[in-house]
Amino acid sequence: LLQEAKASQSIARAMADGSLDAEVVIVGGGIAGLATAVALQRAGVAPGGRGILVLERHPELRATGTAMTVFPNGWFALRALGVAHKLTSRYDVIEKSRVTNLETGTTQVFRFAGNKRSDEVRMRAVDRKALLDALADELPPGMVRFSSKLVSIDAIPATSGSSEATVLRLEDGAVIRAKILIGCDGVHSVVARWLGLSEPLRSGRSTIRGLSVYPSGHGLKQEIRQYLSNGIRAGLLPISNTGIYWYLVNNTIPQEKVASADPVKILREVTENLGAHLPAEYLDVVRNTDLRNLSWAPLLYRNPWGVLTGKAARGTVTVAGDAFHPMTPEMAQGGCSALEDAVVLARALSQAATPSEGLAAYVAKRRGRATWLVAVAYVSGWVQQGGTNVHAAVGWVVRLFRDWIFFRFVFPRLADTMWYNCGDLVPCKNHTE
């Protein structure tokens, strides 16, 4: 009780000294955060963006990663957000994937379903920065507050004279009072930790990502090329006529701690160690990498049970995107599911009598699908990797399943389930007042 009293006194002093008031505060200016802001506008929760504040800890919009594979479910969400048309004309449809097992020399080819469906929502790879810019263009100037790192969160209970609110303290000393708080602050979310969600887990796998640029054109076909070997999975994916996104997934090794902060060391690790045995075509692309777009990081995810049962909303506070359901990238659903979250969240708020009811409805709607995506992504990656850090005999069985069953029958059907449509946004009465 004494601690609560001191906290209340501290909040009262901060409010007396002057603070910002906002109807909705979104922590994080990435894909999830900007998409949520756009969705709230379009749903009429905050017409014209009035009352919305997006807190971005970096001094400018910053894309984590180089490219993003957008499956149909992502395009349905982008269409609901009103920005799909800005991107579909810039990026070609991906219809085919080639998977080559370097140990056996066999190549399997499969096509992504949907050749009989609308071109607008078919699978494409897009530049993450282009997607961020497309979303940001929908927002009024000044909505995003840069260099704003969240430090702490305090809840103010409802009283007879006021509704419940949340007080946020930033690293620069600013204090913000929000009626609704939405954490879109990534895998290591401050908001998720405050809610009590379980900490993300290490998958035992890491990924190196890069972007190679060819001003005169690269000449590769518009298809995914993936190479498999013992403990290594690498791939190439053209995102335009001049850019190729590449990746290498490895079972986590100690060298990462030393090399991950130095792009030159990362490149050397790929070409001389981890990927030295990969095809010349792949290594040529890697050597042409723009070092500014090179990273090496462990793949994290939230335990599916934690996603299904964890406290993802408390009163007028919730989370979306990686802050809610971080997942490994094997199903390319991290960004797509964040876009779905934005649409479902805005629609739930617009239709609810109170913000807390809207957030509770949003979490109830998203839990099941998010849990499914996290679990499927993890298992899919584990199988494609040939089993992560397993006994040799188990690994042999996993690789046999992968080569003869998974890529032939399972993965194409999993990809087809990404034709999920999260629905449209229809302007409704503003319930944040």
Side-chain angles (χ1 to χ4, degrees):
L1 291 174
L2 180 61
Q3 288 180 340
E4 290 180 1
K6 289 182 178 179
S8 297
Q9 292 173 1
S10 176
I11 292 171
R13 285 195 298 271
M15 304 308 288
D17 293 340
S19 65
L20 290 171
D21 282 353
E23 296 290 330
V24 182
V25 172
I26 300 169
V27 182
I31 291 172
L34 297 186
T36 299
V38 173
L40 293 173
Q41 284 187 157
R42 289 182 68 84
V45 176
R50 293 190 299 274
I52 298 178
L53 182 63
V54 179
L55 303 179
E56 170 53 45
R57 65 190 181 94
H58 293 102
E60 60 184 2
L61 292 180
R62 181 173 174 269
T64 302
T66 55
M68 172 179 164
T69 304
V70 183
F71 272 85
N73 61 315
W75 290 113
F76 282 125
L78 287 170
R79 190 165 65 183
L81 295 172
V83 299
H85 66 281
K86 297 180 180 181
L87 300 166
T88 52
S89 60
R90 296 173 56 180
Y91 300 100
D92 294 330
V93 171
I94 299 171
E95 296 183 343
K96 186 186 300 182
S97 177
R98 295 180 181 272
V99 181
T100 300
N101 186 324
L102 298 178
E103 296 173 4
T104 64
T106 59
T107 296
Q108 299 183 59
V109 180
F110 66 87
R111 293 182 176 274
F112 294 103
N115 57 3
K116 56 185 178 298
R117 311 185 198 186
S118 169
D119 256 2
E120 184 188 25
V121 296
R122 292 172 67 189
M123 180 182 169
R124 292 173 171 84
V126 305
D127 184 285
R128 281 181 176 265
K129 185 62 165 60
L131 175 55
L132 279 180
D133 290 341
L135 292 168
D137 287 345
E138 299 294 309
L139 304 176
M143 180 184 288
V144 182
R145 187 183 194 273
F146 294 103
S147 300
S148 299
K149 183 178 179 180
L150 178 63
V151 174
S152 67
I153 304 170
D154 290 294
I156 302 177
T159 64
S160 57
S162 64
S163 59
E164 61 183 311
T166 306
V167 174
L168 313 177
R169 297 176 183 277
L170 307 186
E171 192 175 56
D172 62 5
V175 178
I176 303 171
R177 180 167 55 187
K179 290 185 178 179
I180 299 174
L181 172 62
I182 304 171
C184 298
D185 45 340
V187 175
H188 302 290
S189 168
V190 175
V191 182
R193 191 172 295 118
W194 183 82
L195 285 170
L197 286 172
S198 60
E199 288 295 314
L201 304 173
R202 288 179 176 265
S203 66
R205 305 187 296 273
S206 299
T207 185
I208 302 173
R209 297 180 174 101
L211 179 67
S212 298
V213 179
Y214 298 80
S216 301
H218 50 68
L220 292 185
K221 293 180 180 179
Q222 191 69 16
E223 62 184 21
I224 299 174
R225 302 186 186 193
Q226 189 168 196
Y227 307 99
L228 308 175
S229 65
N230 189 22
I232 295 292
R233 179 162 43 92
L236 301 175
L237 177 56
I239 61 173
S240 67
N241 292 330
T242 57
I244 300 176
Y245 165 67
W246 64 267
Y247 63 88
L248 185 148
V249 180
N250 63 284
N251 293 338
T252 302
I253 57 176
Q255 292 93 308
E256 291 176 32
K257 292 183 179 180
V258 177
S260 60
D262 186 339
V264 174
K265 290 182 179 178
I266 295 174
L267 201 64
R268 186 181 303 123
E269 189 68 29
V270 176
T271 57
E272 298 179 7
N273 183 17
L274 293 173
H277 64 293
L278 293 172
E281 178 184 59
Y282 177 87
L283 293 174
D284 286 345
V285 171
V286 170
R287 293 188 182 99
N288 202 54
T289 300
D290 179 351
L291 295 181
R292 296 170 298 177
N293 293 301
L294 189 58
S295 64
W296 193 1
L299 296 178
L300 306 179
Y301 71 105
R302 177 160 285 130
N303 187 309
W305 183 250
V307 177
L308 185 64
T309 64
K311 197 172 185 62
R314 185 195 303 179
T316 58
V317 181
T318 193
V319 282
D322 283 344
F324 184 3
H325 42 68
M327 63 188 74
T328 56
E330 285 80 12
M331 296 303 296
Q333 285 300 299
C336 292
S337 60
L339 295 171
E340 291 179 14
D341 286 347
V343 174
V344 175
L345 173 53
R347 187 168 56 237
L349 277 173
S350 73
Q351 295 173 351
T354 65
S356 58
E357 289 180 11
L359 297 188
Y362 151 72
V363 171
K365 177 73 173 177
R366 293 299 294 164
R367 275 194 194 281
R369 178 164 173 79
T371 301
W372 157 260
L373 291 175
V374 172
V376 167
Y378 175 82
V379 174
S380 174
W382 188 83
V383 171
Q384 291 183 58
Q385 201 76 5
T388 305
N389 300 320
V390 296
H391 187 274
V394 176
W396 180 85
V397 173
V398 173
R399 290 193 295 274
L400 189 67
F401 170 78
R402 177 194 67 190
D403 297 340
W404 287 94
I405 298 175
F406 182 80
F407 280 119
R408 295 185 181 190
F409 306 108
V410 179
F411 189 75
R413 285 162 178 75
L414 291 177
D416 200 27
T417 66
M418 302 312 164
W419 283 88
Y420 172 83
N421 189 343
C422 60
D424 294 323
L425 287 172
V426 179
C428 297
K429 179 182 177 181
N430 185 357
H431 290 279
T432 63
E433 298 177 355

